[in-house]
Amino acid sequence: MADAKSPAPRPLSPHLQIYTPMLTMMMSIVHRITGSALYIGTLGLAWWLIAAASGPAYFDFVQAVFGSLLGQLALLFYTWALIHHMLGGLRHLVWDTGRGFELPTVELMARASLAGSLLLTAAVWLFIHLAMGGA
Amino acid sequence: MDMRTPLGRVRGLGSAKEGADHFWRQRLTAIANIPLTLFLVITLIIYGGADYAVVASHLASPFVAIPMLLMVVSAVIHMRLGMQVVIEDYVSSEGLKIIGLMLNTFFCAAVGLASAFAILKLSFGA
């Protein structure tokens, strides 16, 4: 017997790059990516809350960071990630009831949640800049 | 020779009716997060750019502080469960996986407690 630990050279399952990219699989991994981004982003929320609890000087500093171009871009992405993850989560809640597994329905829900997340993010930021005069 | 009964052997090994706990808590916090994060987004839209005094007094109101606290608790439980699955799926080394799962819990507990402490401090003053 050779090395008993090495597995027999059986065919491996195909790698991801063999498959034609499809919207539904992109939505699946983006749900995880947005979830992970939201996870890291809670540091920003905690930081903002701690700043508010620390006093005006530190709060103004943190507000300036979030008000900078990079800060605003991060908040823009965070808004989209939050809305996209929420809409993706709603799809999962529909699937949890055993409904919506027909391929046309799956495809429709994928398109609707992607379009919905982009439109709602745009709506939120337009509202911030037009009605509230900046964030 | 094993003298234990079949029941004694399996005790502590199976799901013991907790198999769906992870799934259930993920869904429970997901549903709770819908109104709670909407509340957070609306709060940030209105008060995100406001002056310190306005933000501090707004966050100190019980009608804001209580939903914010609920949001923080629900969100950190939800994200701990989610990141746990991500780590279990992608980290194959057993040691790194256990370290990752521990750090995940530490991170979520720290973020949750820090946020809750800040909200409570604003509410109770000083």
Side-chain angles (χ1 to χ4, degrees), chain B residues 5-85:
Chain B
T5 62
L7 179 63
R9 259 199 302 278
V10 299
R11 251 183 201 145
L13 293 178
S15 72
K17 299 196 181 80
E18 288 179 11
D21 256 23
H22 189 285
F23 176 94
W24 177 247
R25 283 182 199 159
Q26 184 96 31
R27 268 62 184 179
L28 190 71
T29 51
I31 289 170
N33 281 343
I34 297 169
L36 293 172
T37 52
L38 285 177
F39 177 84
L40 170 73
V41 168
I42 291 166
T43 302
L44 288 177
I45 287 173
I46 299 172
Y47 292 94
D51 290 334
Y52 173 77
V54 177
V55 173
S57 67
H58 182 70
L59 288 174
S61 156
F63 297 102
V64 179
I66 292 169
M68 287 288 276
L69 285 169
L70 288 172
M71 185 276 299
V72 165
V73 171
S74 181
V76 295
I77 293 172
H78 186 80
M79 72 189 211
R80 177 175 167 269
L81 295 170
M83 188 56 76
Q84 180 194 334
V85 176

